[in-house]
Amino acid sequence: MSWLTVLLFLFLFIAGLLGMQFFGFKLDSCVVDGAQQMCPPGLDFSECPSHWNCYVECNATVALTWYPFPGSPYGDQAYCEVFPRGSSIGLPGVEYLAQVCVNASHAELVDALCAACAITGHDTAMIHTCS
């Protein structure tokens, strides 16, 4: 009888691994209206995070700044970035996207927001955990 229990747990373990491979992050979705889950432009598929973040389109006039975006979990603000990162504003082929929802740990989110505030010189008061 004990060998049957071991066999059962082995089957459940393998079924769990297969389930994660087939269905992992497939039911994940963006909760902000108009947002789309994507790998940031300029990255290969191999460089993308395992669960993609949610972005909305923005334009060159608000590039590299925080701008109001209703529904964003960052105090209804979104930071418009230039993709691929490191590109200059206004060049052909450049995309402008604002990240409005992160599928990462809270610590990674806070670090990214604090870094963005430091780069742009904005006050970090809206992010209460910046040190």
Side-chain angles (χ1 to χ4, degrees), residues 2-114:
S2 66
W3 66 271
L4 192 57
T5 305
V6 170
L7 191 60
L8 173 72
F9 281 114
L10 183 63
F11 173 75
L12 290 175
F13 179 73
I14 292 172
L17 290 177
L18 285 173
M20 287 190 299
Q21 288 300 313
F22 287 130
F23 305 112
F25 305 114
K26 299 289 192 253
L27 300 175
D28 212 6
S29 64
C30 299
V31 295
V32 177
D33 289 336
Q36 180 180 351
Q37 234 176 349
M38 67 176 73
C39 178
L43 293 180
D44 308 14
F45 189 73
S46 63
E47 297 173 327
C48 289
S50 57
H51 30 280
W52 297 351
N53 297 324
C54 298
Y55 293 91
V56 292
E57 290 186 15
C58 52
N59 56 38
T61 59
V62 292
L64 304 178
T65 62
W66 290 92
Y67 72 100
F69 192 85
S72 174
Y74 314 130
D76 287 341
Q77 298 279 311
Y79 184 73
C80 184
E81 297 183 66
V82 180
F83 289 98
R85 289 193 169 121
S87 300
S88 297
I89 298 172
L91 291 177
V94 170
E95 292 185 56
Y96 304 98
L97 300 170
Q99 186 173 324
V100 291
C101 191
V102 177
N103 294 321
S105 71
H106 180 70
E108 291 172 351
L109 167 63
V110 169
D111 290 345
L113 287 174
C114 292

